[in-house]
Amino acid sequence: SLGVDLGTTYTAAATWRDGRTEVATLGSRSDSVPSVVLMRDADTVLTGEAAERRAATEPDRVAREFKRRVGDTTPIFLGGSPYSAELLMSELLQWVVSEVSQREGGAPDRVAVSHPANWGAYKRELLDNAVRQANLTNAITIPEPEAAAIHYSSTERVEAGDTIAVYDLGGGTFDAAVLRKTETGWETLGTPEG
């Protein structure tokens, strides 16, 4: 299985196999890559570090922090062409899955893509569309605090009924949520704030 966190400023991924989680290597310098997409044309899309390097010579073709624009009906213009934030997310997601698949020797059986806990139905539907545009038929979406809680409970003992707080201090956002472990998973208490 593969988990992907499409962050506002950086994107990271992790694999899960035989009950063990391992951070996936995406970049050449670290485990995460910049959440950057450079659109040259329909056939030439650069993502991550490659897009970051080319941004200096083609600044009008690069998009950063587009996750903030999910749900915004105003297009993002790159090289004079309009793109939605969701399409840019799908390009980055498709690259991450392809990169990890190459390194792992095959495609994952399942993919989980995280999203901010305070995203409503509309933004979650747009993320589902981005997942479909990335040609991922075996994918689910999951709130970021729940993904963090699942990972935490894989390394620490957490019993049903236990409550944990999750804060996500990212490069572009700060989110906080309180979750309770149930017999079958996690339940968010109250309203997550961002």
Side-chain angles (χ1 to χ4, degrees):
S1 297
L2 173 65
V4 182
D5 177 25
L6 297 172
T8 304
T9 54
Y10 285 93
T11 291
T15 58
W16 183 80
R17 179 186 296 112
D18 301 326
R20 290 191 52 229
T21 303
E22 187 176 322
V23 175
T25 302
L26 293 177
S28 62
R29 297 178 304 235
S30 70
D31 296 331
S32 62
V33 293
S35 296
V36 178
V37 174
L38 186 134
M39 302 292 283
R40 298 200 73 205
D41 55 45
D43 297 326
T44 308
V45 179
L46 300 178
T47 56
E49 292 173 345
E52 187 73 27
R53 284 190 300 272
R54 290 297 286 258
T57 58
E58 299 181 70
D60 66 322
R61 295 184 173 278
V62 69
R64 292 181 176 83
E65 298 189 11
F66 43 86
K67 181 177 175 181
R68 293 178 190 270
R69 301 275 307 273
V70 169
D72 186 343
T73 57
T74 304
I76 300 167
F77 283 89
L78 302 176
S81 298
Y83 296 93
S84 68
E86 301 79 45
L87 177 68
L88 299 173
M89 285 180 72
S90 75
E91 292 289 350
L92 184 56
L93 178 58
Q94 192 171 24
W95 177 84
V96 168
V97 173
S98 175
E99 187 72 13
V100 173
S101 296
Q102 264 186 335
R103 292 176 189 224
E104 293 290 321
D109 294 329
R110 295 177 297 177
V111 177
V113 181
S114 64
H115 63 81
N118 61 359
W119 274 14
Y122 178 63
K123 287 187 177 183
R124 289 193 314 269
E125 182 180 330
L126 293 173
L127 177 60
D128 288 341
N129 290 340
V131 168
R132 279 191 294 280
Q133 286 177 327
N135 298 316
L136 300 177
T137 57
N138 57 346
I140 62 165
T141 60
I142 182 171
E144 291 165 352
E146 188 175 335
I150 290 168
H151 175 68
Y152 178 76
S153 66
S154 75
T155 62
E156 299 293 329
R157 186 177 177 97
V158 180
E159 302 289 337
D162 287 353
T163 302
I164 65 170
V166 176
Y167 76 91
D168 179 0
L169 182 57
T173 59
F174 171 76
D175 301 304
V178 177
L179 298 100
R180 178 180 297 130
K181 177 81 166 111
T182 67
E183 293 294 334
T184 58
W186 293 91
E187 113 182 88
T188 302
L189 303 176
T191 304
E193 294 293 334

